[in-house]
């Protein structure tokens, strides 16, 4: 069945280093959403991308949606300790509108 | 304050008992979802509902049941048929589908269910 794969599963960085997580789908996605879950918390929406090749920025975060709409990435520039958490991508299951499926997430830890 | 509320935060049940997890939202959202989160597994969709009195199975619906009698409420029952019910359960809601795809989902604080 359709899957949304995320890599890496874990990433440990020194504060100030950059971080990137990648999301790949086995099928074309109509849109991609990104969420952040802090330790002990619940997922919080970051952004939604819908257009092929779309790039959006939120301060130090840059989100990209691939030209083929099968992959996406989240890049954080100069990480801070407040960036700690698990980052999830999510997309609608093909042929099943409203069935939002999530990747397994990338857990980011930042060493001060 | 508008939001989505799950209760209780922690729940303990004996094996073989059914248990119902509450989820209420006052965001006037049409769509509601139930996810299960296990360590290293991300979020897996149990059930979702796009409108009152209608719901669909997600990828792991076996052993669970839901109802959507009111727009604001989407309770999840974990039945004794669920073989491994201990997990963190998250409820979410969103506005109606926009141009055919899901919109931003708002999550509750979650319920951590432990079955002993």
């Amino acid at each position: 069945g359709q899957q949304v794969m995320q890599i890496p599963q874990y990433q440990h960085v020194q504060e100030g280093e950059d971080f990137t997580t990648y999301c790949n789908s086995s099928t074309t996605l109509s849109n991609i959403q990104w969420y952040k879950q802090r330790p002990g918390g619940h997922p919080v929406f970051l952004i939604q991308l819908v257009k092929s090749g779309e790039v959006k920025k939120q301060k130090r975060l840059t989100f990209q949606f691939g030209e083929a709409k099968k992959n996406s990435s989240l890049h954080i520039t100069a990480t801070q300790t407040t960036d700690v958490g698990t980052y999830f991508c999510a997309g609608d299951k093909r042929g099943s509108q409203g069935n939002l499926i999530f990747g397994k997430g990338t857990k980011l830890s930042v060493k001060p | 304050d508008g939001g989505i509320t799950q209760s209780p935060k922690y729940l303990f049940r004996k094996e073989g008992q059914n248990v119902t997890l509450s989820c209420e939202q006052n965001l006037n959202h049409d769509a509601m979802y139930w996810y299960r989160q296990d360590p290293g597994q991300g979020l897996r969709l149990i059930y979702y509902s796009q409108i009152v009195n209608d719901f669909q199975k997600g990828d792991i619906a076996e052993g669970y049941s839901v109802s959507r009698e009111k727009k604001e409420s989407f309770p999840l029952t974990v039945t004794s048929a669920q073989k491994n019910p201990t997990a963190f359960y998250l409820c979410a809601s969103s506005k109606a589908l926009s141009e055919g795809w899901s919109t931003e989902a708002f999550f509750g604080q979650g319920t951590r269910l432990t079955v002993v």
Side-chain angles (χ1 to χ4, degrees):
Chain A
Q2 180 181 352
Q3 293 185 356
V4 174
M5 308 298 292
Q6 242 183 296
I7 55 170
Q9 189 174 359
Y10 301 96
Q11 185 77 58
H12 309 282
V13 300
Q14 190 77 35
E15 189 173 20
E17 292 181 338
D18 291 356
F19 159 76
T20 304
T21 174
Y22 300 91
C23 184
N24 295 289
S25 171
S26 55
T27 60
T28 302
L29 297 168
S30 57
N31 74 104
I32 193 88
Q33 299 179 27
W34 285 93
Y35 292 80
K36 177 183 178 181
Q37 184 176 23
R38 293 181 185 274
H42 58 279
V44 175
F45 176 84
L46 294 176
I47 207 160
Q48 182 174 33
L49 305 173
V50 299
K51 297 178 182 177
S52 171
E54 189 170 12
V55 178
K56 287 189 176 180
K57 291 189 176 184
Q58 291 179 349
K59 298 183 179 178
R60 295 178 294 105
L61 277 61
T62 301
F63 303 85
Q64 293 187 332
F65 200 10
E67 294 288 343
K69 301 182 78 173
K70 285 187 173 183
N71 58 75
S72 180
S73 65
L74 159 59
H75 180 81
I76 302 178
T77 304
T79 55
Q80 301 174 358
T81 55
T82 53
D83 295 325
V84 165
T86 301
Y87 293 85
F88 294 97
C89 62
D92 281 297
K93 191 170 186 177
R94 189 179 185 185
S96 183
Q97 295 169 353
N99 188 339
L100 191 61
I101 57 173
F102 282 74
K104 292 187 176 182
T106 296
K107 188 173 183 178
L108 173 65
S109 62
V110 179
K111 187 176 181 181
Chain B
D1 282 342
I4 181 164
T5 303
Q6 288 185 245
S7 61
K9 190 171 183 180
Y10 299 96
L11 191 56
F12 295 87
R13 278 294 182 271
K14 290 185 177 180
E15 192 173 342
Q17 290 182 334
N18 290 358
V19 59
T20 298
L21 280 58
S22 169
C23 179
E24 303 278 333
Q25 55 98 0
N26 60 5
L27 298 167
N28 199 33
H29 285 169
D30 290 301
M32 296 189 75
Y33 311 82
W34 273 106
Y35 289 91
R36 170 180 172 142
Q37 187 172 32
D38 297 286
Q41 292 295 318
L43 280 71
R44 292 184 290 170
L45 185 63
I46 305 173
Y47 269 98
Y48 64 104
S49 169
Q50 294 294 329
I51 196 169
V52 174
N53 292 322
D54 188 45
F55 49 83
Q56 278 75 43
K57 293 181 179 180
D59 294 327
I60 57 165
E62 186 175 351
Y64 300 97
S65 65
V66 293
S67 62
R68 188 85 188 275
E69 297 177 2
K70 298 187 299 181
K71 188 176 185 177
E72 304 80 21
S73 179
F74 192 41
L76 173 74
T77 297
V78 184
T79 75
S80 56
Q82 169 50 233
K83 295 179 181 179
N84 187 19
T86 294
F88 187 49
Y89 290 88
L90 286 158
C91 179
S93 70
S94 67
K95 294 179 181 178
L97 294 178
S98 170
E99 300 181 45
W101 54 69
S102 300
T103 56
E104 173 186 354
F106 292 78
F107 284 83
Q109 299 290 328
T111 293
R112 193 166 296 278
L113 173 66
T114 302
V115 176
V116 296

